Amino acid sequence: GPRGARGGSAMGDEWSGRSGGCRRARENGQGITCHHGGTPFTELVMHRSGQLDDNSCSMCECPEPQQWRGPNCNACAGLQACPPRLSPATGAPEEAVACTEASVVPQPVEVLPGRSKSLMCTCGGDPVSDAICGLAQNITGYMDIERVSEAPERYRFRGFQLAGVPDPPPDFPEAWRYRYAQPVAWTGEWDDCELVQADCPDIPFGNANDRRCVKALCDAGETHCPPEGVPSCPTWDGQRCVEPGNGTTEAEWYWQKTCSPLIIPRSAPIDFTCATDQNEDGAFHCYLFQRSMGVGVSMQCFTGECIYPSDCAAMPMGEACLYNQTYDADQIRYVPADYTALGIGLVLGVTAGVVALLSALVATYLWVSHRQNARGGPDSVGQKLVVDHGSAAPPGPSVCLTWWEVSYSIRPQGAGWLHWRSPRPHKVILSGLTGYVSRPDALLGLMGPSGAGKTTLLDVLAGRLKRGVVQGDIRLNGARAAPDAVRRASGYVPQEDVLPGTATVWEHLLFHAVLRMPRARTLEEKKARAWQVVLQLGLQKVVDSLIGDEFVRGLSGGEKRRLSIGVELLMCPGLMFLDEPTTGLDSSNAAKVVDILAELSHEAGMSVVLSIHQPRPDVLRTLGRVLLLSSTGQMVFSGPCEALEAHVAGLGYERPPKVNAVDFLLDVVIKAGKEEAEALVSGFRKSEAFSREEDAMDTAHASRMAPSPRGGDYSKGGRQCRSASGLPRFGTEFRMLSLRLLRNTWRHPMLVLLNFVATAVAALCLGAIYFDLGSDMAGIQNRFGCLFFILLFQSVMSLSSLPIWREQYRLFLQERDDGVYKTLSYFVAVALFDLVPLRMLPPSFFAFFTYWMAGFRTDYVSSIGYFLLILVLSNVAAALLCVAVGVASPSNRVAIVVASALVLLWGLFGSFMVSPASLPPYLSWISYTSYIHYAFEALVVNEFAGDDVGYLLTTGVPDTPPMQVTGTRVLTFFSYDPDWFALDLGMLGVLAAVFGCLSYAFLAIKSCSRLRVSSSSRSSGTSTVLDLRHVDSQLFAHGGSYSELRDAKGVVGKTQGQGEAHPPPSGSAGLSRANLSWRVHSYHLGSRRAAGKVILSGVHGCVGRAFDADRSPLLGLMGP
């Protein structure tokens, strides 16, 4: 009933001190039974509200508490309290031999049939339980533990609870209102219980305690509230017991206790835990925990039964009556609650397994790489082949490429869905281009001003454009050629060298030789072909040098360009396309590159088409034919170089002396207006040069027609994505790509080391910040925050690989266009040998450091295993997301912005910052696409679900104590369902697989050609495409010996010499001037212990007006 301030009213003064002697309890047989002279405690106290205090009939007043104690005065305080008795068996007097007051563990004699271990308890023992027990007065409990079987050993647990009730005398006014005031609150019985030892949980026994507890684990039970046989309230109206009126009388209220779930267990499994050590007053601290409710309450329990010789005589033969003097719990199976050692062992085992796997892969790489990259000695097959065939390659089969009225247009950027109502017309890039390349003048140079479309024309002819509309007729040896057919029959060298910086020249050439040459060729033959290319391009001195990138110094620009050409030469293509191969090179290297191409064209019978920007006269003389484009993408001239001067003169232009015809016509084209440009185009089409070109094309068609088993109609167009013929099997591609990825990691470990170091530091810092989290409300919230930060940190670290991945992606696109390997082989290799080291090992730092430092759960060894599994899955999902975004994005900036936005968005909807249950329907779907949502939810469920240790959960109600709840109750409070764990793990794996499929799909789409082509053929003849992508063992060039090779590796540069700065000459005015002179004796690359490759030797120079006032202070550094 409601409480008021104590104090007597007029009625209270009259009845003060009187009580009913617990007659209501005696009438129903549910009262307390006092022993050893004790009497029931009863007191009549009236509140000012007119109601009686509920403090009576639930406990006894013991006359000698130093002898007998407990709520019913039935627990002996020591052997001295046990009186002599007559033996039930003989009737003779006997003295007690022991009192079991010091052992909460049932002694053997206490669990004989018909006997039980009794505990007499009062409610309270920790601040939270004291507040809960304060909701009623004088709450006491009585627990009996009875053994029901020995094999297996099982116990029955009985209990009942009493609470104080009002106890008015019979003549008390309105005494009928207390007819339901019974002290027994509930009774319960659990038949299947197991006794085990365990470390005492933090709640309620204190954080980081080292106490040992005995726990009764009871799985099935039944409780009754109120107990059976006790008169119960007919009707409840809210919190009041009422009896409805009959229409003429009003409803009457009655006093009866409510069945509060905070202190009354349900018919469900419970745990009853008691510390094995006693408090100062001799009581044991026990804890009755309701698993289904996730709440519990502390009790202070006394025990003690006098043991006599006749009791021990009833024991079976050979069994002890008592354990020992200390009554410890060693006879009960110990169940450790802390699996820290096992968890650390699990993390170390997983980490060691991954490290062992990576070590085996690295060892395999070193062995295979050494075996495969070995060049052999003087008797090697490659050396013999080079010597046998000499330095020159005999003429091989040539390719005639012709094109007629080729035009190319593209929709301008921004003319997509924003202009769907009024589509903008296509922009014309090329228009009406006609030409050919074939022997004997098989070296064609594409020239024109910047923006004229030279690279576009080259890509159209090579079949490498990704979008746009092409019109015209393109033929190989007189047969219509589809883009993939041209790619198979030709080699292509882009303007920018895209090469793996961590590979050497030999490794890169051998990589392409193994993957691109026919499978029928042996490894020695492929090595021989690679050596031919090395000798042919003059790369002997740098064959063992790293190619180099922005992190590693390597080859010069000319050497990289020659290597790019050499990669395509490995296949001995009949047709070669080069996009401005001399751009970025000095004049000497440019001339050398063109000379090599001219030699290949004349001696090896290879047709070469290259775009070139204003070459030197000697380079121009090397070109057999040129095709000049106007600034509008139209043809100004096409034909032999020697016919250009006559054509210029025929147009009415006078060429200045000492200016070659090509440079002069280029200047005219650049400076020409629209009308003059059109006049130049129409003038060529009306000229004899154009007629000769058409005749030459007809002749080439007639002489180059050849049947082929492979056909292709260029007019079909559409999306073409066919594998190049002769590609090796998946296993070979996967092996070579894996070796290159391992090599990249081995020689460029910075990304891996930074990832590992950053993750280790973050794990340690996070463990220090969240060190030893408690079980209160702050500890619960900090656990949520720590888990979420780990996921967010891993996602951010995945973003760091985007720039490096984009560089690798550029190399993939080029090699995939060349048909080096299939997209699937590349994706699988990257997934296994790039993602695994960076995504499986770093999460182990959080499992090894943060998990234990923060004090996450250790009662199940599987918890740490699931923790590591969830982190790995989420890390893999984040990495695959970055791969998908990186592939789909046009640049690094866009990729970083998009990936960062996705991570932040999914982090916002990751169920930590915003609960999914509170989101409106039009936003809630976002959380179900977030891998962070599933990972965080799985981590939270893994941390709290099934945790019976208990947490302090603040209800938020003023003046209400926090509730002792289980981890499952915490999940329910924060709207998490423990049953979602399997679904979260499954969805996390599904999202990782989806991101992986998207990554592969984007890679496959980006690596496919997408070109619409319409045909305007001059003839109706049909033919097939001649596939010339093969290697003939007779095509060798430039023999040599291995003795010519030198090691060019070096990592440290050294210089010797001196430099001087000179003041400006006297009288100088205006801007400040500096004069510089130097004398450099030498500069070399090598190790710190030995000199290496000499780069400079004996270089002297100066610049400045102080040295020569009449000359310009502009110094040019030139050389090959």
Side-chain angles (χ1 to χ4, degrees), residues 171 185 214 241 270 275 470 516 541 579 726 784 940-941 1015 1038 1066:
D171 55 346
V214 173
C241 174
I270 65 166
V470 173
R516 300 176 71 176
K541 295 182 179 180
D579 186 11
F784 279 81
V940 170
V941 173
S1015 175
H1038 294 304
S1066 59

Side-chain angles (χ1 to χ4, degrees), residues 478-620:
R480 289 181 182 177
D484 58 339
V486 177
R487 288 197 300 271
R488 286 196 302 269
S490 64
Y492 184 89
V493 180
Q495 180 177 348
E496 184 179 357
D497 297 312
V498 182
L499 302 168
T502 55
T504 64
V505 171
W506 173 253
E507 290 168 347
H508 187 56
L509 287 174
L510 189 59
F511 175 86
H512 282 264
V514 171
L515 292 183
R516 300 176 71 176
M517 292 178 66
R519 292 194 295 266
R521 299 294 179 185
T522 65
L523 179 61
E524 293 300 329
E525 290 176 325
K526 294 175 181 179
K527 290 181 179 180
R529 179 56 187 158
W531 268 117
Q532 291 173 8
V533 172
V534 168
L535 299 174
Q536 195 170 9
L537 298 180
L539 296 173
Q540 302 95 317
K541 295 182 179 180
V542 294
V543 70
D544 287 326
S545 299
L546 295 178
I547 297 173
D549 51 21
E550 64 270 23
F551 304 105
V552 179
R553 183 171 180 175
L555 305 182
S556 65
E559 291 166 340
K560 288 183 178 180
R561 185 59 47 85
R562 281 183 279 161
L563 178 58
S564 298
I565 297 173
V567 169
E568 299 301 323
L569 290 180
L570 284 170
M571 300 303 299
C572 298
L575 179 61
M576 177 79 81
F577 297 96
L578 301 100
D579 186 11
E580 298 195 16
T582 61
T583 299
L585 304 182
D586 59 83
S587 57
S588 177
N589 273 321
K592 186 173 183 179
V593 168
V594 176
D595 287 341
I596 292 174
L597 295 175
E599 182 180 358
L600 293 172
S601 175
H602 293 107
E603 297 185 5
M606 183 174 65
S607 299
V608 180
V609 181
L610 60 91
S611 61
I612 192 167
H613 187 73
Q614 218 157 7
R616 296 190 319 180
D618 56 338
V619 173
L620 183 61

